[in-house]
Amino acid sequence: MMSEDPEHLLVVYDDHSDQRSLSLDETSSTEESPNETKLSLETTNDTIPYIGQRFATHDTAYEFYSEFAKQCGFSIRRHRTEGKDGVGKGLTRRYFVCHRAGNTPVKTLNENKPQRNRKSSRCGCQAYMRISKTTELGAPEWRVTGFSNHHNHELLEPNQVRFLPAYRTISDVDKNRILMFAKTGISVQQMMRLLELEKCVEPGYLPFTEKDVRNLIQSFRKVDLEDESIDLLRMCRNIKDKDPNFRFEFKLDANGRLENIAWSYASSVQSYEVFGDAVVFDTTHRLNAFDMPLGIWVGMNNYGMPCFFGCALLREENLKSYSWALKAFLAFMNGKVPQTILTDQTLCVREAIAAEMPAAKHAYCIWLIVAKFPSWFNAVLGERYNEWKNEFYRLYNLESIEDFEMGWRDMVNLFGLHTNRHINTLFASRSLWALPYLRSHFFAGMTTAGHSKAINAFIQRFLSAQTRLAHFIEQVAVAVDFKDQAGEQQTMQQNLQNICLKTGAPMESHAASILTPFAFSKLQEQLVMAAHYASFQLEDGFLVRHHTKLEGGRKVYWVPREGHISCSCHHFEFSGILCRHALRVLSTGNCFQIPERYMPLRWRRVNASVKVFQNSLSDHGERVRLLEGMVSNLVAESAKSKDRLDMAMEHVSVLLERIREHPIPVPVPASRYARNDVFT
């Protein structure tokens, strides 16, 4: 056996945190304590390490000790190596230790760098196995020269030890399956269930966890962002070649790298023409794989379902980036500014909207504010949290600004929130989220919790699993197409439902023939309640109040000759649906139909609104795009059955012949046919 004089050994620590936490006697290379020697001599089980045990390589010794540790209920790691006569002259000794050996070193605090307070599992455990290299008859081998299996912590049960990081492995076959699953966009939980079924194992008994799968998917995404950007632009150009109505815009930085990109689909532009009066610009999501903020424009259609308008990927969350995104969006939508735009409480977004959309009413999404309440007020209010939240909702739904501000002061006094910074911030920005300040602006019902859930569910469809940046635009397209198909089915189900008239009033049947079932249900609620109100004519209008009240009420102004009616509650301005007060006045004045202007195009059935929509389009290109959308819908509906297809082909053939026979008085210049695309 070669000499192991400590004076000729150079100690190299693989983990510097263990230098002072594990005491191994440098001179006890071949001699161990009597108890340990007794253990190794008495056992005949080859799965337990013993002094003198031989291995061909140190990796073989590591694998053996690792398997032993797994059976015992712990895992191991390489602790340190020792080489003779300097580094690079060859290893002569290796130490393998329990995963809980050593102690966590004290980190140097850096005020400019955020600290992550992660709890360490190390507790100074002394269990280890030492192997030394020997050469006999010219054949090198490794022998166990030290072993201790005494732990200062509890060992794990067999059903627990498999969760240690050392024993959680994903095979190459499973990696390929997970990559394939990730491309389909299914969630990690669904991936785990599918793999469990494929391997016929009970839930929770795969050799890896959901966290391992998420980390693996994350590693798939860690590719060169510059190459990803090139692929993404190439993808957009390919889509543009196939669909000239697809729109996208991008910006490169000074080094020629992709800085921002935004895009929208032809169907989204068409939807925005009718439903772009109220828009949500959601900037609360990120593509974590590429650390890029994501902006999404969505709205609500005439059937009360979310509709997608556009997307933007940005490099930075700042005023410059958001201003660029808003400019690109307006270019996609032919410069049409929404009446109302809802966002998160982000200052730079607020400034960007003020600069790029000064005519739009900017407001905060109430559901994004409420989502922060538990972290803001739960600990502060304790058992009174639910009581406070009920009072907040009561104040939020008030109609009078004076009542709101007086009630807010009372609420602050009642719950002792004078110095709470979140309460003070909310009150300072009250004109951007509280309904008493917003009722005179149109929101299409997008302040409700139900609509917020629908929007979030749609967004999650393409955020659940992204692998490549270039694939993300496909994922969005698939999600939009899925939403459109689901929307068609829900629309059909709504239209097939038998509408039950509850009042028998001519106005009700008239509205039922024009409005979508979703919009009609909202109007019907107001019609039913209108019967409980009394109207009193005044010199300048009407006073309408509930029949049980002797004071208060709403002022309604009606000019029959002009077909104009308005109410001080601003319900129509806020929702696009006439209120009970106005309906009561119309009924009193023997009005049997709701005036045309108070059944907005955006709440009408498609058949009832197409003619109005056509008349509202003055630009030739806009009318061409509308026709393209109608033809696309015709093909989609006709392809659902053979009878529909035969009917469509018969009628379209006749229509095409009639159009060809129709004279063209003046040729339209080619420039008028040119599509107003952002990218050419």
Side-chain angles (χ1 to χ4, degrees), residues 8 17 42 46 90 99 112 218 223 230 291 294 338 342 350 401 477 489 503 564 592 604 611 627 639 659 669:
H8 299 285
S17 66
E42 289 181 353
D46 291 339
H99 73 287
N112 298 323
Q218 191 78 359
V223 293
I230 294 173
D291 194 30
L294 175 66
L342 294 95
R350 180 178 176 180
I401 292 177
Q489 293 178 358
T503 68
H564 175 77
F592 300 109
R604 299 187 181 208
K611 187 174 182 180
L627 178 61
I659 291 174

Side-chain angles (χ1 to χ4, degrees), residues 274-275 277-278 299-305 442-446 451 494 511-523 571-578 597-606 608-609:
V274 183
F275 310 119
D277 41 19
M300 177 187 277
N301 68 11
N302 52 341
Y303 285 84
M305 292 175 287
F442 182 69
F443 283 85
M446 292 197 296
H451 187 69
Q494 281 192 33
S513 66
I514 295 179
L515 301 179
T516 65
F518 170 80
F520 173 71
S521 67
K522 302 298 181 184
L523 180 67
H571 188 272
F572 178 78
E573 290 83 355
F574 184 72
S575 66
I577 301 294
L578 273 182
R597 68 172 67 179
Y598 296 109
M599 286 194 291
L601 173 65
R602 64 132 37 248
W603 291 135
R604 299 187 181 208
R605 296 174 184 266
V606 174
S609 61

Side-chain angles (χ1 to χ4, degrees), residues 466-524:
Q466 314 111 27
T467 52
R468 297 286 303 278
L469 188 58
H471 293 160
F472 178 69
I473 194 170
E474 290 181 324
Q475 195 70 27
V476 175
V478 170
V480 171
D481 184 61
F482 177 85
K483 180 196 68 64
D484 290 343
Q485 293 179 17
E488 287 182 8
Q489 293 178 358
Q490 293 182 39
T491 298
M492 188 177 300
Q493 290 174 1
Q494 281 192 33
N495 289 331
L496 291 176
Q497 291 176 355
N498 292 324
I499 295 178
C500 178
L501 301 181
K502 298 180 180 180
T503 68
M507 281 192 295
E508 185 182 19
S509 57
H510 173 238
S513 66
I514 295 179
L515 301 179
T516 65
F518 170 80
F520 173 71
S521 67
K522 302 298 181 184
L523 180 67
Q524 190 178 52

Side-chain angles (χ1 to χ4, degrees), residues 544-562:
V544 181
R545 61 171 173 244
H546 197 271
H547 72 96
T548 62
K549 302 289 181 63
L550 298 178
E551 297 180 353
R554 302 290 184 272
K555 289 290 294 293
V556 177
Y557 302 92
W558 183 32
V559 184
R561 286 176 298 180
E562 298 178 6

